[in-house]
Amino acid sequence: MTTPGRREALRELLRAAELDALLITDLVNVRYLSGFSGSNAALVVHAEDTIGDERRTRLATDGRYTEQAASEVPDLGRVIERSCDRALVTAAGHDGVRRLGFESGHVTVDAHAALGEVADGVTLVRAPGLPQRLRAVKDDTEIELLRAACTSADAALADLIDTGGLRPGRTERQVAFELEQRMREHGAQGPSFDTIVAAGAHSAIPHHQPTDAVLAQGDLVKMDFGALRDGYHSDMTRTVVLGRAADWQRELYELVARAQAAGREALGVGVELSAVDGAARTVIADAGRGPEFPHGLGHGVGLEIHEAPALAATGAGTLSAGMAVTVEPGVYLAGRGGVRIEDTLVVRPEGAELLTLTGKELRELV
Amino acid sequence: MTTPGRREALRELLRAAELDALLITDLVNVRYLSGFSGSNAALVVHAEDTIGDERRTRLATDGRYTEQAASEVPDLGRVIERSCDRALVTAAGHDGVRRLGFESGHVTVDAHAALGEVADGVTLVRAPGLPQRLRAVKDDTEIELLRAACTSADAALADLIDTGGLRPGRTERQVAFELEQRMREHGAQGPSFDTIVAAGAHSAIPHHQPTDAVLAQGDLVKMDFGALRDGYHSDMTRTVVLGRAADWQRELYELVARAQAAGREALGVGVELSAVDGAARTVIADAGRGPEFPHGLGHGVGLEIHEAPALAATGAGTLSAGMAVTVEPGVYLAGRGGVRIEDTLVVRPEGAELLTLTGKELRELV
């Protein structure tokens, strides 16, 4: 879907919410709805403008981005002004907007007060998460960008292992850096978040940051990483063993792998988000390891590394075709080691399609 | 200064604002005041706790970070709870807090409403930017971390140029990637922001993102980049010419260099922020190029790439010893090319100390 199509879909939501317009200040949403990728901007979209006649829909940015805005957003009016949000609220008042939605999950208390000062005749209405609802369902272009990002990560890990980059004596930091370098060699603009490489007892820390700790024979090595391509984020975790796996490592791995498979198989159109989490969690709880799986099963992924929908026990709502999500159960034995296995997938009418293609059998690197 | 000392300095501000406690939700401020570096946390600091007896000052984070919090914040009480901010507001109520400040420049309208639901007997008071006021003045440890980050960037640029990495035929993206790689080789954990490499006419775009555009003989090449080390950000811009500079390039360069020197020389304890901007801006305006310098002169830098103080025409307040700032005038001739020269400096009683040491003479790479 092109950006005019996305704005038209947003207009449906505005009409349903009885809003005359929406002020968009979350830069990720600005990018999704307009194509603008600079670091200071706001957008206003009106319920009653139509495709091809977007007279009042406007992008605001500052003087650093005059040329970039003209090139990325040729189809909309542009306002050059440092206080983008205030400029658009003022303009909305002149355009006759009465009920102006704002992203109340993004606008701060102070920013809201500042908008109130220029909202002459305009009522600011809390309207959280409307573009996010559209973003949760990916169009074909977005899925291909996600697929490309996942391919960069798959290829980087394959290179790392094939060239012997995962071996005793290297540090977590060296491995993380090499993964990021190799993702770039395979087309990534950069990592999609801070790469996690956690060896030995560190693997029991769910979000461990790489240190100068040295990988040792017998270690579990957990790698959680992703590639950023054209704004889209991939996300994958694999855990390997350096040398032959001890029995407890093998048992732990197989438990997490079964839970991950159960989570993947639970993905389907119309399925409750909490039920997907439950499908994987039950496997771990039945093995008596429930407390050692202390996080949700997964999350939506796209223009942000974490976005709607949340696959968690508290997740409300159901899956739709085109949603891109991670499935990433983990079990962490404090002081010993942990295993997490994570894929990025797209929900399809017939089930789920894997975008991260690296195998998930237990790898013993000998 | 250690984190207990920072919390004690914050208590002075709380008493002056007649707050019983402050809820800190901005993760950068949480890190500054507690040492915790995870991705989900909140902190509450009470006006009347004292160093060594911080009975009520508490960090909240979620189950992913139980071990990391114990290791990074051994000296404070810890609450493990997914909704960190709500958990601490509830606890503050039990602790008898009546006036609880919150970071109204960071807390969203929706998050504020959610806090209100659990603020039983507690009044939430807007209190923006208190830790930021402390952070604007760096202690010696922070200055050494900034210096180390600047050294990584200096060394990376020297390597890039010495090995012939800046030459016609390479792309902007290749140069940006190499700068980032070399910063890591020189101790950086990563770039401190998305590296800008802008060649030829692209150099006239103040915040250009690197593309596959190929560097050509005669191009101005503007590089704005920095290194991240232990949470601290460096920031430097250099502009070079590939080959001999044309007259207009040399004139442009010398104008910006004079303005940058004027800005640096204006730095001093007690000087108005707007006066520093003015010192550089006057040089450019006197040359008839005022409209082609469309951004502020500089900004504070530390745990964030942009923080207090702002060196801009609208900047209110004065410089203090220990503030770390950038000075970065630029002049951009649309369609032709632009020059920006930027250093990171620390304000000292006797003037300003350069942390970025790369030379600023016009470099013609032949």
Side-chain angles (χ1 to χ4, degrees), chain A residues 279-299:
Chain A
R281 197 169 298 280
T282 299
V283 173
I284 293 171
D286 286 352
R289 294 291 192 194
E292 285 137 334
F293 173 25
H295 55 72
L297 181 65
H299 53 83

Side-chain angles (χ1 to χ4, degrees), chain A residues 327-357:
Chain A
V327 173
E328 49 174 314
V331 176
Y332 312 95
L333 309 184
R336 298 180 74 194
V339 171
R340 182 164 66 245
I341 304 172
E342 173 186 28
D343 285 310
T344 297
L345 307 100
V346 178
V347 178
R348 300 290 196 185
E350 63 278 13
E353 180 190 356
L354 271 177
L355 298 185
T356 43
L357 300 178

Side-chain angles (χ1 to χ4, degrees), chain A residues 104 107 110 177 180-181 184, chain B residues 104 110 177 180-181 184:
Chain A
S104 49
V107 173
D110 285 352
F177 181 35
E180 294 182 5
Q181 264 185 302
R184 288 176 193 261
Chain B
S104 50
D110 285 352
F177 181 35
E180 294 183 5
Q181 264 186 301
R184 287 177 194 262

Side-chain angles (χ1 to χ4, degrees), chain B residues 29 39 76 80 87 120 125 142 155 158 165 187 189 191 208 237 294 314 317:
Chain B
N29 291 338
S39 71
L76 294 181
I80 303 301
D120 192 17
V125 180
E142 293 184 286
Q189 277 94 49
H208 174 72
T237 307
T314 55

Side-chain angles (χ1 to χ4, degrees), chain A residues 37-39 62-65 67-68 82 102-114 126-128 173 176-177 180-181 184-185 189 191 201 204-209 230 294-296 306 333-335, chain B residues 37-39 62-65 67-68 82 102-114 126-128 173 176-177 180-181 184-185 189 191 201 204-209 230 294-296 306 333-335:
Chain A
S37 66
S39 71
D62 67 59
R64 295 172 300 168
Y65 294 110
E67 292 198 18
Q68 184 175 332
R82 187 136 194 102
F102 70 99
E103 297 186 279
S104 49
H106 180 262
V107 173
T108 68
V109 171
D110 285 352
H112 178 249
R126 279 169 64 177
R173 232 192 271 266
F177 181 35
E180 294 182 5
Q181 264 185 302
R184 288 176 193 261
E185 288 166 14
Q189 276 94 50
I205 303 172
H207 271 211
H208 174 72
Q209 295 196 343
D230 299 315
H295 55 72
H306 294 113
L333 309 184
Chain B
S37 66
S39 71
D62 67 59
R64 295 171 300 169
Y65 293 109
E67 293 197 19
Q68 184 176 332
R82 188 136 194 100
F102 70 99
E103 297 185 280
S104 50
H106 180 263
V107 172
T108 69
V109 171
D110 285 352
H112 178 250
R126 280 170 64 177
R173 233 192 271 268
F177 181 35
E180 294 183 5
Q181 264 186 301
R184 287 177 194 262
E185 289 166 13
Q189 277 94 49
I205 304 172
H207 271 210
H208 174 72
Q209 295 197 344
D230 300 316
H295 54 73
H306 294 114
L333 309 183

Side-chain angles (χ1 to χ4, degrees), chain B residues 210-225:
Chain B
T211 67
D212 290 325
V214 172
L215 278 57
Q217 189 71 12
D219 276 356
L220 284 166
V221 182
K222 184 184 71 191
M223 294 162 287
D224 186 348
F225 65 103

Side-chain angles (χ1 to χ4, degrees), chain B:
Chain B
M1 206 188 300
T2 56
T3 54
R6 292 172 184 171
R7 294 192 293 268
E8 194 57 20
L10 179 65
R11 290 190 176 102
E12 293 286 338
L13 300 182
L14 298 189
R15 289 178 208 124
E18 297 184 350
L19 295 172
D20 297 327
L22 180 68
L23 174 71
I24 297 120
T25 49
D26 182 335
L27 286 173
V28 177
N29 291 338
V30 170
R31 179 173 185 165
Y32 178 78
L33 291 164
S34 75
F36 182 71
S37 66
S39 71
N40 182 29
L43 179 72
V44 65
V45 174
H46 296 75
E48 294 310 334
D49 282 351
T50 54
I51 290 187
D53 180 28
E54 296 191 295
R55 291 165 296 113
R56 303 180 296 173
T57 297
R58 286 191 191 91
L59 177 86
T61 183
D62 67 59
R64 295 171 300 169
Y65 293 109
T66 307
E67 293 197 19
Q68 184 176 332
S71 132
E72 290 182 340
V73 192
D75 54 338
L76 294 181
R78 295 181 298 279
V79 179
I80 303 301
E81 180 71 57
R82 188 136 194 100
S83 292
C84 301
D85 51 358
R86 287 165 60 102
L88 292 185
V89 170
T90 303
H94 297 157
D95 282 345
V97 167
R98 290 290 160 265
R99 285 173 52 83
L100 176 63
F102 70 99
E103 297 185 280
S104 50
H106 180 263
V107 172
T108 69
V109 171
D110 285 352
H112 178 250
L115 294 180
E117 289 168 9
V118 293
D120 192 17
V122 174
T123 303
L124 294 167
V125 180
R126 280 170 64 177
L130 295 182
Q132 280 87 333
R133 262 199 255 168
L134 303 177
R135 281 172 45 203
V137 175
K138 272 66 181 175
D139 57 43
D140 290 346
T141 311
E142 293 184 286
I143 290 171
E144 290 318 308
L145 290 171
L146 279 171
R147 189 191 308 279
C150 290
T151 300
S152 297
D154 279 327
L157 182 58
D159 283 358
L160 176 78
I161 294 179
D162 291 351
T163 58
L166 267 185
R167 60 172 186 273
R170 299 197 87 194
T171 68
E172 292 172 342
R173 233 192 271 268
Q174 285 170 335
V175 172
F177 181 35
E178 183 173 342
L179 274 173
E180 294 183 5
Q181 264 186 301
R182 290 189 179 277
M183 286 194 289
R184 287 177 194 262
E185 289 166 13
H186 288 284
Q189 277 94 49
S192 58
F193 57 93
D194 289 349
T195 297
I196 294 173
V197 174
H202 284 168
S203 61
I205 304 172
H207 271 210
H208 174 72
Q209 295 197 344
T211 67
D212 290 325
V214 172
L215 278 57
Q217 189 71 12
D219 276 356
L220 284 166
V221 182
K222 184 184 71 191
M223 294 162 287
D224 186 348
F225 65 103
L228 178 65
R229 283 184 81 155
D230 300 316
Y232 285 79
H233 300 70
S234 81
D235 198 355
M236 175 167 80
T237 307
R238 289 294 182 272
T239 308
V240 303
V241 180
L242 299 187
R244 291 283 166 221
D247 287 346
W248 70 271
Q249 292 172 326
R250 178 175 299 278
E251 278 170 31
L252 190 60
Y253 192 93
E254 288 174 356
L255 172 63
V256 175
R258 275 196 293 125
Q260 207 256 355
R264 282 187 284 117
E265 284 156 20
L267 294 173
V269 174
V271 176
E272 294 281 343
L273 302 175
S274 57
V276 182
D277 179 276
R281 197 170 299 279
T282 300
V283 173
I284 294 171
D286 286 351
R289 294 291 192 194
E292 284 138 335
F293 173 24
H295 54 73
L297 181 66
H299 52 83
V301 62
L303 283 169
E304 289 182 291
I305 183 65
H306 294 114
E307 55 183 50
L311 297 182
T314 55
T318 59
L319 289 172
S320 304
M323 285 185 169
V325 295
T326 69
V327 173
E328 49 174 315
V331 176
Y332 312 96
L333 309 183
R336 298 180 74 194
V339 171
R340 182 164 66 244
I341 303 172
E342 173 186 28
D343 285 311
T344 297
L345 307 100
V346 178
V347 178
R348 301 291 195 183
E350 63 278 13
E353 180 189 356
L354 271 177
L355 298 185
T356 43
L357 301 178
T358 300
K360 288 182 286 286
E361 70 289 1
L362 173 60
R363 293 179 84 154
E364 301 172 293
L365 303 179
V366 290

